Amino acid sequence: MFKEILAQDAARIQAQFDLVLSALDDLDVTRAMAYATQGGKRLRGFLVLESARLHGIDPAQAIWPATGIEALHAYSLVHDDLPCMDDDELRRGRPTVHVKWDEGTAVLAGDALQTLAFELCTRAEVGSAEVRANLALTLAKASGAQGMVLGQALDIAAETTPDPLTLEQITQLQAGKTGALIEWSACAGARLAQVDPAPLRRYAQALGLAFQIADDILDVEGDAEKAGKRLQKDADAGKATFVSLLGLDAAKARAAQLVEQACSALDGYGLQAETLKDAARFVIARDS
């Protein structure tokens, strides 16, 4: 059931991207934007839509920030793949944007996707001016130097530090690089409903860390063809990961523990939160 809902939400988000991007001029940069927003699990967009459903928000409102967070996530991947960052040639089983076009087009496509995210989150259809302003403000914090960009900066710094990062340092790094956007996504429904997002924040913080530990496990055990990207990059670069610090079995146990914490955070919602709990279980069971 969960995978069906995830797939349905992914299709809705893709349809929204098709609608929004079709209104732009037919240029390399807009073609690159469309290319970068295709595929993927759309977990962040799903979290927006499902947290909105949990609070009785009309899907016609929620689809805008759900598409917005996927635009912002796509921008982060386009820039992360650049030669000056991770220098990857494969993403979701296809050539990365700078390989298919060029570096300049990739930079501009990423820039445009980032600004598109804020445009989509502040559309009149989303809700009141107060709701839209809150979504934009919190997304700015989650994606910038207090969130995702901070995590990316710490990750780059870790490549040249003489000492491997500690477990505490890696946890801080990943709370920004991966966790911040997951947290924003899970809290979006509560913000749309103008209620306290604290339970969803606790859920998302545990979920985001479990997601990253699962990524580190997949980097060791995964299939590159299923993953659609190069694996074992961190090991090749000599970077510390949850697996290298904890060991494979302990990392798996820690991820499972975090999933239980995430599920417990939603107990106050009763059976209505089962799909979000299934999402938490999915992140450590996935094979890509």
Side-chain angles (χ1 to χ4, degrees):
M1 183 66 175
F2 163 72
K3 288 188 176 180
E4 292 176 9
I5 295 172
L6 186 66
Q8 289 167 3
D9 284 351
R12 291 189 186 102
I13 291 166
Q14 186 59 59
Q16 195 73 1
F17 268 130
D18 293 344
L19 176 67
V20 170
L21 295 176
S22 68
L24 302 180
D25 290 340
D26 185 23
L27 303 169
D28 275 355
V29 67
T30 53
R31 286 190 285 271
M33 290 168 68
Y35 180 85
T37 54
Q38 292 167 0
K41 291 176 284 294
R42 312 281 200 199
L43 180 64
R44 292 156 189 80
F46 156 83
L47 289 171
V48 173
L49 292 171
E50 188 59 32
S51 65
R53 283 190 283 261
L54 191 63
H55 292 88
I57 299 296
D58 188 341
Q61 291 175 251
I63 191 62
W64 294 100
T67 308
I69 192 61
E70 289 294 337
L72 199 138
H73 178 54
Y75 127 72
S76 74
L77 298 181
V78 171
H79 281 195
D80 201 41
D81 289 336
L82 287 167
C84 62
M85 296 279 282
D86 273 4
D87 194 15
D88 275 317
E89 296 185 352
L90 198 66
R91 172 69 67 180
R92 295 171 177 168
R94 303 190 301 172
T96 48
V97 173
H98 72 274
V99 171
K100 186 170 177 64
W101 281 274
D102 53 66
E103 288 184 41
T105 300
V107 170
L108 292 174
D111 290 346
L113 285 167
Q114 182 188 39
T115 54
L116 178 64
F118 289 92
E119 178 185 339
L120 296 178
C121 288
T122 53
R123 292 272 303 214
E125 295 92 333
V126 173
S128 68
E130 183 180 357
V131 166
R132 288 179 279 143
N134 183 253
L135 286 174
L137 175 62
T138 52
L139 183 57
K141 289 181 177 179
S143 61
Q146 299 176 68
M148 182 185 70
V149 169
L150 171 62
Q152 290 175 319
L154 293 173
D155 196 27
I156 289 174
E159 295 176 1
T160 55
T161 184
D163 301 313
L165 297 185
T166 65
L167 187 61
E168 182 180 354
Q169 288 171 322
I170 291 178
T171 301
Q172 179 194 10
L173 185 161
Q174 297 301 347
K177 185 175 180 181
T178 303
L181 294 191
I182 288 177
E183 182 179 327
W184 184 89
S185 303
C187 292
R191 291 191 172 111
L192 285 165
Q194 295 184 283
V195 299
D196 185 9
L200 285 165
R201 181 178 295 113
R202 291 193 295 272
Y203 161 83
Q205 287 171 347
L207 173 69
L209 188 53
F211 185 96
Q212 185 55 50
I213 294 174
D215 256 11
D216 286 355
I217 292 168
L218 281 172
D219 200 50
V220 174
E221 293 189 326
D223 183 319
E225 188 172 338
K226 286 184 179 179
K229 60 183 179 180
R230 180 163 55 97
L231 299 180
Q232 300 184 355
K233 293 182 299 182
D234 289 340
D236 292 343
K239 290 168 63 176
T241 68
F242 288 106
V243 172
S244 69
L245 290 175
L246 295 174
L248 191 57
D249 289 342
K252 289 179 179 180
R254 178 60 178 144
Q257 187 180 58
L258 285 163
V259 167
E260 289 306 310
Q261 289 179 20
C263 292
S264 295
L266 299 177
D267 284 348
Y269 291 105
L271 293 176
Q272 289 180 299
E274 280 305 308
T275 304
L276 284 174
K277 291 182 179 182
D278 286 342
R281 299 179 187 111
F282 166 78
V283 302
I284 63 168
R286 62 197 166 93
D287 58 5
S288 64

